Amino acid sequence: MEISDLTVTATLASLVLDEAETQKLGDEVSRMLSYFEKMSEIDVDGLEPTTHALQKENRLRDDRRLSNEAQPDELLECAPDLEDRFILIPNVL
Amino acid sequence: MSDFEKKWSEACTQPQTLKAYRKYVEQWEEQIGSFLEFDPLRSLEADIPQGPLTGIPFAVKDNIAVKNYKLTCGSKMLEHLVSPYTATAVKNLQKAGAVMVGKTNLDEFGMGSSTDNSALKQTNNPWDTERVAGGSSGGSAAAVAAGLVPFALGSDTGGSVRQPASFCGVYGLKPTYGVVSRYGLTAYASSLEVIGVVARTTSMCKTVFEAMKGKDPMDHTSMDHTPSGKEVKTVGVLKIEEGALNPEVKASYDSTVERLKKAGYEIIEIELPTLEYVVPAYYTIATAEASANLARYNGIRYGHAPVYAENPTDLMRKSRHEGFGDEVKLRVLLGTYVLRSGFQDQYYVKAQKIRTAIRNDVERWYDKADILMMPVFPTPAFHHGSSDLDTFQQKQADLYTCTANLVGHPALSVPSTMENGLPVGVQFMAPPFEEDRLFQVSSVLEKEFQAPEAPGYHTDWS
């Protein structure tokens, strides 16, 4: 894999790679991708892709709230930065 | 309750035995490091309901939520997260009377075969501390093998319950996809993963599975369990190519076939030509799903955040850069790549079609055999530090286990023999909802060979 290709992929995944990581992970990604090439050997024309192991139909449910034991304040407490009941992030502009 | 279960039910509930039990756990933990958090008292504050598991302590892999316990997933990203809710599977066990005593170590987000990818702790195999306990549910398997708990929960995306169970000499069940609710299991590869059980005996494995299964409104992919009740007569044994297994694992495999014959089962030889495509298809699908599932870690609502970030984009990138380990980054990168526009047909869609081919390949044997047998892993527990099996080889070695995840069928790892001081297991796989067939054969084999006791193992705290 070209380094530019790796950098584009990393940006799409919101990852920043330092120089050492670019080298190490770049090699490993390339190794796995060439391994994935094995899939081109097998003829699967006419087969439907499996997206769910067993379920064939789509499942729908009523659009209503299910109860959850986690309380809103407990969920807020998990945020790294909080002011009153607001989650803080750095300035957008 | 059996004597074994009765002894365990008293470990935490009697004050004098609790003290001895805690001491036993502490001594073992210095050697094996299976727990990230161990605290039976927190669960004992509440009343224990009467049920099939009353008083029996258990551990939970640290990617499954238990209220007021941490949920680290073995990652720096979630090192300080305390879960505000409990997974349905755990709740069901608590309703059956089981007592949750701690959270076990794992490969970061369940990604790995050794537990060496945990960012928080090293876990060693109780049989040889120079070796890994397997992974990703290595902490759970090591804890059960050392007798720190009689059973523990793990999660199995590509073999993460069965492989460590085999490495540590205990039973490891991956149930049918969807039969156990995934609500509260931290998502890695949603179409493949299930919550599974590591246990000391077949009977305990079965009791736990029965207690935790069932359709759950909180998981829309969950299903009712509808078994056929069929008795196993014929076992389809996978033909092993020359050199595919380490000689010790092959010897162990062959002795299980002999035991099955002796027990009166009809044996037929089976072949799975799609087996050579299982690992590439599995890693394509698993990493694609992982890249989407792990997009949620952005340092805003929970998880690691950097000391300083200039803007929201910088916040996300720094959080992920600092919070994720190498293996997680590798899989997220791979998954993002295979899903990029222009590559989807070549990788992701192709892998999903191969998934259909694998299912057809496996299912055709169920006309001739009630249950299928195959190895768990080509080698016994390997050494720390990837010296005898590098991380790429570890992935290739997932071929026998990830088949069951791709097709969604239940599979059980059963202790088979001891080879040069290390336990080795074999694997059985059955049609969807037919966990009972796995337990039938496992119980028969258990009469010949029980889960071996690691030196120092005991369960008597009186």
Side-chain angles (χ1 to χ4, degrees), chain A residues 1 5-6 8-18 21 24-25 28-29 31-33 35-44 47-56 59-61 66-71 74-75 78-80 87 89-92, chain B residues 67 81 84-86 91 176-177 183 191 217-218 220 222-223 276-277 279-281 283-284 299-303 305 309 311-312 315 317 320-321 326 329-330 332-334 336-337 340 346-347 350 352-357 359 390 392 395-396 407-408 432:
Chain A
M1 188 197 249
D5 231 4
L6 184 70
V8 172
T9 309
T11 308
L12 288 168
S14 274
L15 287 172
V16 202
L17 304 179
D18 55 38
E21 283 176 324
K24 182 173 180 282
L25 292 172
E28 288 182 43
V29 169
R31 195 176 181 190
M32 285 302 282
L33 286 175
Y35 184 48
F36 288 174
E37 288 306 319
K38 183 154 187 65
M39 295 195 293
S40 61
E41 290 171 11
I42 182 171
D43 180 9
V44 286
L47 290 181
E48 284 295 314
T50 296
T51 52
H52 186 289
L54 302 166
Q55 202 169 301
K56 302 288 182 281
R59 280 193 185 173
L60 302 172
R61 66 167 176 85
L66 293 172
S67 64
N68 191 311
E69 75 172 309
Q71 299 303 310
E74 292 176 315
L75 292 167
C78 296
I87 290 172
I89 58 167
N91 285 338
V92 174
Chain B
K67 189 167 176 139
L81 178 69
Y85 74 107
T86 300
K91 269 205 164 151
T176 306
Y177 179 82
Y183 179 66
S191 84
M218 302 303 272
H220 228 45
S222 66
M223 284 181 276
E276 57 180 314
Y277 305 103
V279 179
Y283 274 96
T284 303
I300 295 176
R301 287 161 301 155
Y302 56 93
N311 53 49
L315 173 69
R317 289 187 181 158
R320 293 164 70 80
H321 180 72
D326 281 353
K329 285 178 184 164
L330 168 65
V332 167
L333 282 171
L334 260 177
T336 306
Y337 185 83
R340 273 174 68 177
Q346 185 187 347
Y347 295 109
K350 179 93 190 201
Q352 288 180 315
K353 287 184 177 176
I354 294 175
R355 194 172 175 183
T356 309
R359 194 178 64 219
D390 72 29
F392 180 69
K395 290 185 176 78
Q396 289 181 305
V407 299

Side-chain angles (χ1 to χ4, degrees), chain B residues 48-325:
Chain B
I48 299 169
Q50 287 299 313
L53 293 164
T54 296
I56 294 183
F58 72 108
V60 175
K61 185 179 182 179
D62 208 17
N63 62 349
I64 301 172
V66 182
K67 189 167 176 139
N68 298 333
Y69 280 83
K70 279 189 187 175
L71 180 61
T72 69
C73 295
S75 179
K76 283 207 182 322
M77 182 62 90
L78 300 177
E79 194 176 356
H80 304 292
L81 178 69
V82 177
S83 177
Y85 74 107
T86 300
T88 303
V90 174
K91 269 205 164 151
N92 288 348
L93 292 172
Q94 288 171 329
K95 277 184 210 154
V99 178
M100 167 33 223
V101 296
K103 303 296 292 287
T104 52
N105 199 14
L106 68 158
D107 286 304
E108 187 174 2
F109 289 103
M111 298 179 183
S113 312
S114 61
T115 310
D116 281 353
N117 292 339
S118 169
L120 306 179
K121 197 170 187 176
Q122 177 173 316
T123 295
N124 303 323
N125 193 307
W127 291 93
D128 177 353
T129 53
E130 303 281 301
R131 292 174 190 267
V132 302
S136 64
S137 314
S140 289
V144 174
L148 311 187
V149 278
F151 78 90
L153 296 190
S155 63
D156 193 312
T157 311
S160 285
V161 163
R162 290 160 285 157
Q163 184 256 29
S166 174
F167 279 13
C168 293
V170 290
Y171 294 82
L173 173 72
K174 171 223 168 295
T176 306
Y177 179 82
V179 159
V180 176
S181 167
R182 285 184 293 119
Y183 179 66
L185 168 65
T186 308
Y188 156 26
S190 310
S191 84
L192 303 165
E193 64 204 358
V194 288
I195 292 180
V197 192
V198 180
R200 181 93 208 152
T201 63
T202 306
S203 136
M204 174 123 295
C205 201
K206 185 179 170 163
T207 311
V208 173
F209 167 67
E210 296 287 335
M212 72 173 181
K213 71 182 186 181
K215 197 171 175 177
D216 174 19
M218 302 303 272
D219 173 5
H220 228 45
T221 58
S222 66
M223 284 181 276
D224 282 323
H225 191 230
T226 48
S228 70
K230 192 175 176 184
E231 193 189 336
V232 178
K233 294 198 171 78
T234 312
V235 182
V237 174
L238 182 71
K239 186 182 167 191
I240 303 298
E241 300 293 331
E242 191 68 36
L245 300 181
N246 172 301
E248 286 134 15
V249 177
K250 181 71 170 69
S252 187
Y253 193 73
D254 292 341
S255 40
T256 302
V257 177
E258 287 312 309
R259 282 180 201 149
L260 290 169
K261 282 184 189 162
K262 209 175 109 193
Y265 290 109
E266 190 191 332
I267 304 293
I268 63 163
E269 191 176 73
I270 68 161
E271 286 179 72
L272 296 170
T274 56
L275 207 54
E276 57 180 314
Y277 305 103
V278 161
V279 179
Y282 168 78
Y283 274 96
T284 303
I285 293 169
T287 57
E289 293 182 7
S291 72
N293 275 326
L294 272 64
R296 73 192 64 188
Y297 302 106
N298 56 16
I300 295 176
R301 287 161 301 155
Y302 56 93
H304 174 81
V307 176
Y308 171 76
E310 203 162 309
N311 53 49
T313 309
D314 192 38
L315 173 69
M316 286 180 211
R317 289 187 181 158
K318 277 188 180 152
S319 301
R320 293 164 70 80
H321 180 72
E322 296 168 7
F324 288 152

Side-chain angles (χ1 to χ4, degrees), chain B residues 348-398:
Chain B
Y348 190 55
V349 178
K350 179 93 190 201
Q352 288 180 315
K353 287 184 177 176
I354 294 175
R355 194 172 175 183
T356 309
I358 294 164
R359 194 178 64 219
N360 295 342
D361 197 16
V362 169
E363 284 183 344
R364 71 197 164 103
W365 293 107
Y366 291 137
D367 294 337
K368 304 183 185 78
D370 304 316
I371 195 171
L372 308 180
M373 177 181 144
M374 56 190 78
V376 181
F377 202 78
T379 70
F382 47 85
H383 285 92
H384 284 293
S386 316
S387 54
D388 31 5
L389 208 63
D390 72 29
T391 52
F392 180 69
Q393 290 168 322
Q394 288 171 30
K395 290 185 176 78
Q396 289 181 305
D398 284 341

Side-chain angles (χ1 to χ4, degrees), chain B residues 417-429:
Chain B
T417 57
M418 289 294 294
E419 304 288 339
N420 296 334
L422 292 174
V424 175
V426 292
Q427 179 182 210
F428 293 93
M429 197 164 115

